[in-house]
Amino acid sequence: MSSNPPRWADRFLEWYCHPDLLEDLQGDLYEVYQKRRTENGKRAADLTYVWLVIRSLRISAIGKSKRLKNSIFMMTANNFKIAFRVLARDKVNTAINLVGLTIGIACFLLMGLYVKQELSFDQFHSKKDRIYRSWLKEDYGEGKIFFNSITPLRFRDLFEQNFPEVESAAQLVIENHLVGRGEGRLDERIAVLSPNFFQVFDFEIMKGNKEAPFPGLRSIIVSESYARKYFGDEEAMGKTMSLQIGESIEDFTVSAIMADIPHESSIQFDIAISTENNRQLYGQGSMNAWFSIIPENYVLLKEGASVESVDAKMQDVVMGYLSEEVERGQYNIGLQPLTDIHLNPDVPAGYAPVSNPQYVYILGAIGLLVLIIACINYATLSIGQSLRRAREVGMRKVLGAGQSTLVVQYLSESLLLALIAMTVGTVLTILLVPTFNALTGTQIFFTFKWWHLLAYLGVGLAIGVAAGIYPAFVLSGFRIVSILRGGSQGGGRHVARKGMLVFQFLVTVFLISTTLIMRKQVSFMQEKDLGFTYKSVVSVRLQPDPAAQRLTQVIASGMENGKLLKAALQKHPDVTDIGMATHMFGSNGWTQLAYTDDKNVFRRFAFLNVDANYLKSFGIKVKEGRDFEEGNGLDERQSIIINQAAADYFGLENPIGDKLPGKEFGEHRIIGVTDNFNFTSLHSQVEPLVIAENAMPILQGISDFNVEDSPVPKLVFTYTGSNLAEVQDILGKEWEAIFPNEALDFSFVDEKIQQQYENEARLNKLITVATILSIVIAILGLLGLMVLVVNSRIKEIGIRKVMGATPITIFALLSKSFISQLLVAIVLSVPLTLWLISKWLANFAYRTEIGVGLFVVSGMTALLVAALVIVYHTLRASRINPVESLRVE
Amino acid sequence: MKRESLGELEELVLLTVGSLAGQAYAVTILEEIAEQAGRKPDVTAIHSVLRRLEAKGFVTSSMGGATADRGGRRKRFFTLTVAGRKVIDETMLVRMGLYKKLLTILGS
């Protein structure tokens, strides 16, 4: 029996150990390893081996290994002592370097935390590799595809009964219900969970039975923070809460308390009840429906089972049930890994929003870029310093220092600096996290784990080496004779230095342009004329009758109740344009209806149920035909208005008086055509839309419908008063009088519309932060370089002043090389920015233009910054009395 | 002649090298010391002592055979040199002298 100790430890030993000593030492270590292994097992033996390898370092020191002498391990306390003195001697430079590196590190860490968090979504479940979420894609040809990760209720049984690979299937619905304790009731997001949910996922049950968290039909689970919200400091277990289920209000008993769900979870809820309530919630019909989607279905595969074998059988299983309804390939089911959910935009979002992975990459890259700039900054400055340190290098070389000794010395300096910067940067990051979150609307956390210390050292070392390696070699490579003779160093190095400066400015200009264009796109979306007015428009969610079950009943009873509120609000002079509709601007997921027309073409369109006042309240123009009329009985029964997109889609050339093509609709007539207005977010084009006061004639003809956002009617009105707090007051009072037991739920439409672009706005803020930081670093770098340039030319400037040079000539003298480098950077940044930004803009159906002005502005900004730094130094340099600068030597 | 001084562990190792009669390499020395003196220094300690002894000229070494559990690497066998032998003798003489004195004072 023979087994090997850790390979890396061996490599390490072979690397540092003197070849004469290696063989027998290593042999002995092996022998000891084998003995220890038979006695104490592999783990103990491995540990011993590593320990012995480290201990062996002292033997090598005796053996006078040549390699060791020059290696990094000779960076003794002495090196650091010298490094410390060097850093302390040149305080300005050290400060500049330190601030630059610290900012770079802080930026890197902040972006890193964000990226890490995005990547760690749903990773905390112990069975995550076996958990999949099902999706359903109905494809009826001609691009008519329904693709959802919300699936039918019956999928749970489907998976458990037909696939031996599936260990269990869990189900989750998240929807709003009124929840209360005592009198008041609040609209809360409630999860409806299958009882096995907590066995599939690792959400922690703190009190109660994890195996059977719902002992009965009327059991309810609350999270810790909600237990506190509803019960305060009282013990929540066993207490009752009321919940509106279907038409009745039921008492539920708290049967378990769950730990709050971590932020990095796609599945988020605070209150949960059991799927045993499904029948009452969704009706018998939906229990076995194939075309009505309600929950997210998750499957847990058995250990070792492959998802491919499940996939392979899907179509056959489906056809076993549905061969009469659909053709092969029309009804497709698939599985998506749990850990894929958060960052995969190809599968539609379920109950949790999906992040755009692009943003994660962009921000990760920017964090890294800023760090790289900071490192380059250090390198440029160190090389810039070379003139000053040339003599020191010369002296050391004369005294017998080899190049490697000097490299080690300079690396010690950068390492020391990097470690200090790392420490300060980490502390800064921890302090900045709350500000950063508040500023950018992100939610990142700084958690400490023991391996962070190692990572911390590792990153510190890496930064130190990255920043210091190039200057170390340049500095140590100076030839003695030329230094001591006082000559300048070869031109090649200036090229490298210039290259780095150009790169630094390139990134800065790139970031400035990116920030500007993103800001432009975000404000473009927020300010684009959407085809309706929405400033100061308030939307109030109405109360349908609890008994209402069918969609039409929900809408009709909601609007009926809405009339009461409308009448009440009309008394207030500041409230105008009151209307009602099933969907509100600023939310996606409007009701989608679909049918197959008489030519066998599959048709899909958005549908909005309104009252006669609605289009007027939003200022939506009817460009052909007319708007609905109040009190017109025909309008109330059968008139419809379509948008221009619908007219084009259905191919109606003279739409007024016409019908939607297809014979199965109820009696209806098109009375008007509106302009296209952007009723959903600007990420997508305007879809065909049908608007009616009465949904019945249209609903009769459709074969399929899809409602993501609740179609419970909302009342909208424009508030013309100036004080927005008053509107809340008015609404509250009127609501209280009409619906004393129901919670008021209202929002401002413009806020909702802005919220659609939250992601973009957040990204923009993050990049702005990075841009500002990179500009600061760039300024620091330029500042440092200028100090050196001015100092090295101080005599020249002195002589020029004596000869009569003005500050302007001195400015020209100092700025000449920098400005040309900056111009190169600006020119180079244009194609880079264009390429990346157009990729990003492709995400939007409506996008702003990338103008030349953008590059002019960002270029000018960078130039201005550079010019300011140079002016500052010009003034400083020209104020020095030539007598002072020329007296030396 | 200037006397080389021996550390305590050095002395022990030197004695063990002598007593192992040509079979002395780090691991056997380690085991012998463990068995005879009940101490268990780690193998790197033995190594560094051996290097020091070699530098002082008390032992010489030559490379010997390899075994499988050494991953095919050869052993370095140590033998006493004349100087080594001498230093042991001298140390022993000093100790014996002192020990005898002790016995005469305390009685046996």
Side-chain angles (χ1 to χ4, degrees):
Chain A
M1 181 214 63
S2 163
S3 146
N4 291 326
R7 188 78 195 98
W8 61 267
D10 244 7
R11 288 243 173 87
F12 179 56
L13 180 69
E14 283 160 20
W15 174 70
Y16 76 71
C17 190
H18 192 278
D20 291 351
L21 303 179
L22 177 64
E23 182 172 359
D24 63 301
L25 173 61
Q26 202 174 16
D28 288 341
L29 296 188
Y30 256 70
E31 213 175 316
V32 170
Y33 173 81
Q34 297 301 353
K35 282 209 181 82
R36 182 113 171 105
R37 209 185 113 84
T38 32
E39 285 161 20
N40 304 78
K42 181 156 169 58
R43 217 181 127 72
D46 281 352
L47 279 175
T48 312
Y49 193 83
V50 172
W51 171 237
L52 289 178
V53 165
I54 294 167
R55 293 266 292 162
S56 298
L57 274 164
R58 62 190 172 144
I59 304 169
S60 278
I62 296 167
K64 293 193 179 70
S65 156
K66 268 189 197 140
R67 224 182 311 177
L68 186 73
K69 191 176 158 196
N70 294 335
S71 82
I72 217 158
F73 291 94
M74 286 298 278
M75 269 202 299
T76 49
N78 191 44
N79 280 64
F80 278 108
K81 205 189 278 171
I82 296 173
F84 184 77
R85 285 182 192 153
V86 170
L87 295 181
R89 194 174 59 208
D90 194 350
K91 293 200 178 61
V92 177
N93 240 310
T94 306
I96 288 174
N97 274 330
L98 206 54
V99 172
L101 272 184
T102 305
I103 292 176
I105 287 167
C107 181
F108 174 73
L109 286 180
L110 283 173
M111 299 291 164
L113 280 176
Y114 178 78
V115 170
K116 185 189 136 245
Q117 173 168 304
E118 284 293 295
L119 295 179
S120 67
F121 256 76
D122 300 318
Q123 298 286 348
F124 59 91
H125 300 287
S126 55
K127 296 170 190 159
K128 63 179 182 199
D129 297 331
R130 295 192 282 137
I131 304 175
Y132 291 80
R133 181 174 72 176
S134 69
W135 48 257
L136 166 61
K137 192 185 226 169
E138 292 169 75
D139 183 351
Y140 299 105
E142 299 184 22
K144 301 307 167 215
I145 296 169
F146 294 96
F147 188 14
N148 277 298
S149 57
I150 312 259
T151 43
L153 282 169
R154 63 163 305 139
F155 270 24
R156 187 169 170 225
D157 291 341
L158 178 85
F159 280 111
E160 281 189 341
Q161 286 162 8
N162 295 286
F163 299 96
E165 294 89 344
V166 172
E167 189 174 304
S168 64
Q171 204 165 70
L172 160 79
V173 184
I174 292 180
E175 56 187 6
N176 279 40
H177 287 283
L178 292 171
V179 181
R181 190 167 174 250
E183 281 307 296
R185 266 179 297 148
L186 292 170
D187 204 22
E188 300 270 22
R189 274 160 62 87
I190 307 285
V192 187
L193 307 177
S194 55
N196 61 350
F197 190 82
F198 291 93
Q199 273 124 60
V200 173
F201 297 99
D202 285 9
F203 299 114
E204 196 189 339
I205 294 282
M206 309 190 69
K207 285 181 197 160
N209 185 348
K210 182 166 180 146
E211 310 303 315
F214 301 110
L217 180 65
R218 299 284 184 237
S219 300
I220 191 165
I221 300 177
V222 289
S223 71
E224 258 187 306
S225 53
Y226 269 61
R228 215 169 303 125
K229 175 172 169 185
Y230 280 92
F231 303 101
D233 292 332
E234 292 171 52
E235 172 62 55
M237 286 287 282
K239 293 253 169 41
T240 55
M241 296 168 83
S242 68
L243 204 67
Q244 180 164 8
I245 294 274
E247 40 197 292
S248 55
I249 291 168
E250 308 278 355
D251 274 349
F252 281 72
T253 310
V254 176
S255 62
I257 296 187
M258 169 183 81
D260 284 351
I261 291 181
H263 179 259
E264 291 92 349
S265 170
S266 292
I267 298 171
Q268 291 286 351
F269 60 86
D270 285 294
I271 303 176
I273 57 173
S274 158
T275 41
E276 285 169 53
N277 296 290
N278 274 357
R279 183 161 288 115
Q280 196 176 353
L281 284 168
Y282 312 113
Q284 178 62 36
S286 50
M287 302 294 286
N288 288 311
W290 287 90
F291 297 94
S292 162
I293 57 173
I294 295 170
E296 284 186 337
N297 282 288
Y298 289 88
V299 300
L300 175 66
L301 295 188
K302 285 185 182 147
E303 305 237 24
S306 83
V307 65
E308 287 80 15
S309 75
V310 179
D311 277 338
K313 278 181 262 181
M314 294 284 196
Q315 214 18 249
D316 288 332
V317 170
V318 166
M319 291 317 281
Y321 291 93
L322 282 173
S323 54
E324 290 182 6
E325 275 112 309
V326 296
E327 285 167 30
R328 196 161 255 279
Q330 285 185 339
Y331 194 95
N332 302 291
I333 300 175
L335 294 176
Q336 173 192 25
L338 172 70
T339 48
D340 195 35
I341 290 175
H342 184 65
L343 283 175
N344 184 355
D346 296 335
V347 180
Y351 289 117
V354 173
S355 270
N356 189 337
Q358 250 188 347
Y359 295 173
V360 175
Y361 303 139
I362 292 177
L363 290 172
I366 285 177
L368 207 59
L369 220 52
V370 175
L371 185 61
I372 290 172
I373 302 187
C375 287
I376 287 184
N377 215 354
Y378 177 84
T380 354
L381 281 178
S382 305
I383 296 171
Q385 259 186 316
S386 61
L387 275 173
R388 196 179 287 186
R389 296 195 69 176
R391 265 167 227 277
E392 177 200 333
V393 173
M395 283 312 289
R396 281 171 173 257
K397 282 202 165 177
V398 168
L399 292 174
Q403 175 165 16
S404 47
T405 323
L406 289 170
V407 168
V408 168
Q409 178 58 48
Y410 291 127
L411 273 183
S412 326
E413 280 169 31
S414 63
L415 279 180
L416 185 63
L417 203 67
L419 284 177
I420 298 174
M422 192 72 193
T423 313
V424 183
T426 311
V427 173
L428 199 66
T429 308
I430 296 171
L431 295 177
L432 278 181
V433 161
T435 324
F436 181 81
N437 279 339
L439 195 68
T440 58
T442 49
Q443 282 213 304
I444 59 171
F445 304 98
F446 195 92
T447 45
F448 183 80
K449 296 203 177 67
W450 69 270
W451 60 263
H452 286 176
L453 274 179
L454 287 179
Y456 164 83
L457 276 177
V459 173
L461 283 175
I463 293 171
V465 171
I469 196 84
Y470 181 69
F473 274 99
V474 170
L475 286 175
S476 60
F478 287 164
R479 274 172 308 141
I480 308 172
V481 183
S482 72
I483 298 167
L484 293 182
R485 213 196 282 141
S488 71
Q489 293 302 314
R493 265 143 215 157
H494 286 294
V495 172
R497 196 170 100 193
K498 278 179 187 164
M500 289 196 281
L501 194 69
V502 168
F503 178 79
Q504 196 179 10
F505 270 108
L506 173 72
V507 173
T508 307
V509 176
F510 164 71
L511 283 176
I512 298 175
S513 334
T514 311
T515 315
L516 290 178
I517 192 85
M518 284 191 170
R519 175 155 294 173
K520 200 170 159 210
Q521 173 69 15
V522 170
S523 59
F524 169 79
M525 290 188 297
Q526 287 170 343
E527 283 154 22
K528 183 178 183 295
D529 180 13
L530 300 175
F532 52 86
T533 54
Y534 55 86
K535 298 271 183 284
S536 317
V537 174
V538 183
S539 153
V540 190
R541 192 185 149 102
L542 293 167
Q543 286 303 321
D545 281 345
Q549 281 287 327
R550 298 160 56 101
L551 183 61
T552 42
Q553 289 170 348
V554 168
I555 296 171
S557 68
M559 287 210 183
E560 207 52 48
N561 287 335
K563 280 180 189 160
L564 298 174
L565 185 64
K566 182 174 174 175
L569 287 173
Q570 266 165 346
K571 295 181 303 199
H572 296 274
D574 287 339
V575 175
T576 56
D577 303 328
I578 308 173
M580 288 182 275
T582 45
H583 293 281
M584 203 39 56
F585 301 110
S587 67
N588 287 330
W590 283 26
T591 299
Q592 291 275 346
L593 305 180
Y595 71 103
T596 309
D597 73 6
D598 43 7
K599 296 198 191 76
N600 223 14
V601 176
F602 187 83
R603 300 281 188 186
R604 188 152 66 129
F605 56 90
F607 179 75
L608 184 67
N609 202 150
V610 297
D611 75 343
N613 249 338
Y614 178 79
L615 295 183
K616 277 191 278 301
S617 352
F618 275 106
I620 295 166
K621 285 190 198 71
V622 179
K623 61 170 191 176
E624 266 180 74
R626 60 173 180 87
D627 195 357
F628 296 117
E629 284 160 5
E630 192 111 35
N632 181 330
L634 208 58
D635 279 2
E636 277 167 20
R637 278 198 307 281
Q638 60 160 31
S639 296
I640 67 169
I641 292 178
I642 60 176
N643 67 353
Q644 185 58 47
D648 298 339
Y649 177 64
F650 291 116
L652 304 172
E653 300 209 344
N654 296 305
I656 307 302
D658 208 343
K659 292 170 190 261
L660 300 181
K663 48 195 177 215
E664 284 158 16
F665 289 108
E667 190 56 43
H668 72 280
R669 202 163 58 88
I670 298 170
I671 59 161
V673 179
T674 70
D675 279 326
N676 283 340
F677 51 95
N678 292 92
F679 55 93
T680 60
S681 81
L682 292 167
H683 293 100
S684 48
Q685 297 280 355
V686 175
E687 287 172 75
L689 173 71
V690 172
I691 308 167
E693 282 190 68
N694 179 9
M696 269 325 280
I698 304 300
L699 289 181
Q700 270 173 23
I702 58 137
S703 55
D704 217 327
F705 79 90
N706 184 4
V707 190
E708 278 171 39
D709 201 36
S710 158
V712 169
K714 291 101 196 161
L715 180 138
V716 289
F717 61 86
T718 307
Y719 182 72
T720 54
S722 52
N723 187 353
L724 283 176
E726 271 170 33
V727 71
Q728 195 164 352
D729 232 38
I730 296 170
L731 244 181
K733 266 186 215 123
E734 300 297 352
W735 182 272
E736 182 67 29
I738 303 169
F739 311 103
N741 290 324
E742 311 297 346
L744 169 64
D745 176 6
F746 76 100
S747 54
F748 293 96
V749 173
D750 53 350
E751 274 172 25
K752 285 274 182 190
I753 288 174
Q754 306 283 318
Q755 272 170 22
Q756 294 177 322
Y757 313 112
E758 220 173 334
N759 263 334
E760 287 77 22
R762 181 184 309 157
L763 178 69
N764 186 41
K765 281 180 185 157
L766 284 168
I767 291 182
T768 310
V769 170
T771 307
I772 293 170
L773 293 181
S774 84
I775 292 176
V776 171
I777 295 175
I779 292 176
L780 285 173
L782 206 56
L783 211 64
L785 270 183
M786 288 303 299
V787 172
L788 298 167
V789 168
V790 170
N791 284 350
S792 70
R793 301 176 83 169
I794 201 119
K795 280 184 194 151
E796 183 192 338
I797 294 171
I799 294 170
R800 281 174 191 267
K801 271 190 79 175
V802 171
M803 306 300 261
T806 59
I808 292 171
T809 22
I810 294 172
F811 174 78
L813 180 77
L814 291 176
S815 62
K816 217 169 62 188
S817 66
F818 291 111
I819 298 295
S820 63
Q821 284 162 42
L822 198 49
L823 287 175
V824 172
I826 293 170
V827 170
L828 287 180
S829 79
V830 173
L832 180 74
T833 313
L834 275 179
W835 179 63
L836 280 171
I837 276 296
S838 52
K839 278 195 126 161
W840 179 70
L841 281 177
N843 283 328
F844 306 94
Y846 299 88
R847 44 185 175 262
T848 179
E849 301 281 314
I850 310 176
V852 187
L854 172 76
F855 296 102
V856 175
V857 171
S858 49
M860 289 307 284
T861 312
L863 274 175
L864 192 71
V865 162
L868 280 177
V869 174
I870 299 172
V871 165
Y872 167 72
H873 279 285
T874 308
L875 290 177
R876 215 178 62 111
S878 56
R879 213 175 291 148
I880 300 171
N881 190 343
V883 177
E884 298 282 319
S885 59
L886 293 173
R887 201 173 47 192
V888 196
E889 278 180 35
Chain B
M1 193 191 101
K2 188 190 151 220
R3 282 261 289 275
E4 286 283 358
S5 64
L6 275 183
E8 197 262 347
L9 186 60
E10 284 180 342
E11 189 182 331
L12 204 56
V13 171
L14 196 59
L15 276 169
T16 317
V17 171
S19 69
L20 282 172
Q23 287 307 308
Y25 69 100
V27 180
T28 49
I29 293 170
L30 178 72
E31 280 164 359
E32 187 70 13
I33 289 179
E35 199 175 304
Q36 298 290 336
R39 294 174 43 170
K40 189 120 190 175
D42 81 37
V43 71
T44 64
I46 304 287
H47 258 274
S48 59
V49 169
L50 284 169
R51 301 290 178 219
R52 276 207 298 277
L53 290 174
E54 195 171 14
K56 288 176 182 174
F58 296 151
V59 294
T60 56
S61 65
S62 60
M63 298 303 277
T67 54
D69 56 3
R70 296 174 63 85
R73 289 172 186 85
R74 289 177 298 160
K75 296 164 183 169
R76 185 183 291 271
F77 287 110
F78 290 85
T79 45
L80 274 182
T81 59
V82 179
R85 178 62 215 261
K86 238 170 115 181
V87 84
I88 290 179
D89 287 348
E90 278 165 18
T91 327
M92 284 304 148
L93 279 176
V94 172
R95 295 205 171 180
M96 285 313 290
L98 290 169
Y99 186 60
K100 273 181 190 154
K101 235 176 168 178
L102 179 75
L103 286 182
T104 47
I105 292 167
L106 296 175
S108 49

